[in-house]
Amino acid sequence: MIINPNSWQLLRLLQLTSPALPVGAYSYSEGIEYLCSNGTIQTDSDLCDWLKREMHFGFVTNEAAIALRAHQAVMSNNITALNYWNNWLSSTRETEEVRLASWQMGQSLMKLWQQLPDHQDDQLAIYKSINELLPTAKENSFGKGCNYAIAFGIVAASLGIDASNTIVGYIYSWLSNLVSAAVRAVPFGQTIGQQVIFRLNPDILCSSQLALKRLDNELEWCGWGASLASANHETQYSRLFRS
């Protein structure tokens, strides 16, 4: 049987971005729940505007750029770069909630990756080095953890997903999760949620191109609104989500 390599890569990408991926993404809203609660997001247009600004000016493009660097580090066998960018990402998170969410999801994905049956013998050494280098959940209490963007780039590279599709998949996964959170927090309805994602498809591609082109000294963002929402969510009286 002849298998199209592009179809194989697509299957891997679909699995990595699936809502069924057991990393706990469904339990985080990155401040969306607070924004819905205080009336900032009340309609699908409000949600579209907020997410569009985040993709153009917020932190997710930086996260995708870090996922790209993790992907490149694995492909070039530059394992020490993984540690550098993981530490960089941990130190630039604005709130404890966001940082802990990134660590929990990243560590869950790394644990899943270790249990996938597709590792080749010639790759086992580098995978072992990666697992020994990056922090685990046991080190969270000491201020260390493996960020989700780092884990996503590592796993995507190991599954043969190219850099461009890795970035598109990362941003799509982020967007889909926040739309799902808004659907549960506001009750928009599933159909409206899908309409929002559909309308934002061009912005996903634009954000992915920004991430692919962003140089190390250009890793900056203006997402103070999301930072304040996350900080306020931490003390919200009643909530569904952990962030």
Side-chain angles (χ1 to χ4, degrees):
M1 181 175 62
I2 299 176
I3 299 176
N4 186 334
N6 292 329
S7 297
W8 189 258
Q9 181 180 161
L10 176 60
L11 280 173
R12 298 302 199 201
L13 182 63
L14 289 172
Q15 181 172 3
L16 189 55
T17 58
S18 169
L21 198 72
V23 296
Y26 63 87
S27 62
Y28 301 108
S29 78
E30 297 192 20
I32 289 289
E33 183 178 23
Y34 173 77
L35 295 169
C36 294
S37 175
N38 77 353
T40 300
I41 295 177
Q42 293 182 305
T43 67
D44 56 325
S45 294
D46 294 337
L47 180 61
C48 264
D49 290 342
W50 179 271
L51 294 173
K52 181 179 291 189
R53 287 195 298 268
E54 282 300 299
M55 282 189 281
H56 287 273
F57 306 110
F59 199 75
V60 66
T61 303
N62 271 359
E63 283 188 324
I66 299 303
L68 171 65
R69 282 155 176 75
H71 187 285
Q72 293 170 335
V74 173
M75 298 302 292
S76 63
N77 199 16
N78 184 9
I79 305 304
T80 55
L82 290 173
N83 197 43
Y84 172 82
W85 288 114
N86 187 59
N87 290 336
W88 185 93
L89 193 53
S90 292
S91 65
T92 54
R93 303 325 304 249
E94 306 96 316
T95 65
E96 184 179 21
E97 270 199 351
V98 173
R99 182 170 58 249
L100 291 176
S102 179
W103 287 353
Q104 184 273 308
M105 291 172 59
Q107 288 150 188
S108 295
L109 183 55
M110 291 298 289
K111 183 177 180 180
L112 173 66
W113 176 59
Q114 295 171 31
Q115 298 173 21
L116 294 178
D118 200 33
H119 298 326
Q120 304 296 321
D121 290 341
D122 59 345
Q123 298 174 323
L124 289 177
I126 184 174
Y127 295 163
K128 183 179 179 181
S129 298
I130 290 172
N131 287 323
E132 291 176 349
L133 176 70
L134 293 175
T136 64
K138 294 179 180 179
E139 297 174 78
N140 291 171
S141 59
F142 300 102
K144 296 180 180 181
C146 177
N147 288 283
Y148 185 61
I150 293 291
F152 195 95
I154 291 170
V155 176
S158 74
L159 295 178
I161 303 170
D162 65 38
S164 179
N165 283 328
T166 295
I167 301 311
V168 172
Y170 185 88
I171 297 172
Y172 171 82
S173 180
W174 169 87
L175 175 67
S176 177
N177 184 63
L178 293 194
V179 169
S180 175
V183 165
R184 283 174 281 167
V186 177
F188 285 130
Q190 297 290 342
T191 299
I192 289 178
Q194 290 303 309
Q195 291 171 346
V196 168
I197 294 173
F198 190 84
R199 292 206 299 268
L200 292 175
N201 276 185
D203 300 283
I204 294 174
L205 296 178
C206 180
S207 181
S208 67
Q209 287 302 307
L210 290 173
L212 286 167
K213 296 176 181 177
R214 190 160 288 182
L215 303 176
D216 292 354
N217 62 355
E218 296 174 337
L219 292 172
E220 58 186 17
W221 70 100
C222 183
W224 53 268
S227 302
L228 290 174
S230 176
N232 280 291
H233 183 269
E234 187 174 351
T235 57
Q236 187 169 322
Y237 173 71
S238 177
R239 61 187 192 177
L240 297 173
F241 301 92
R242 296 172 63 184
S243 76

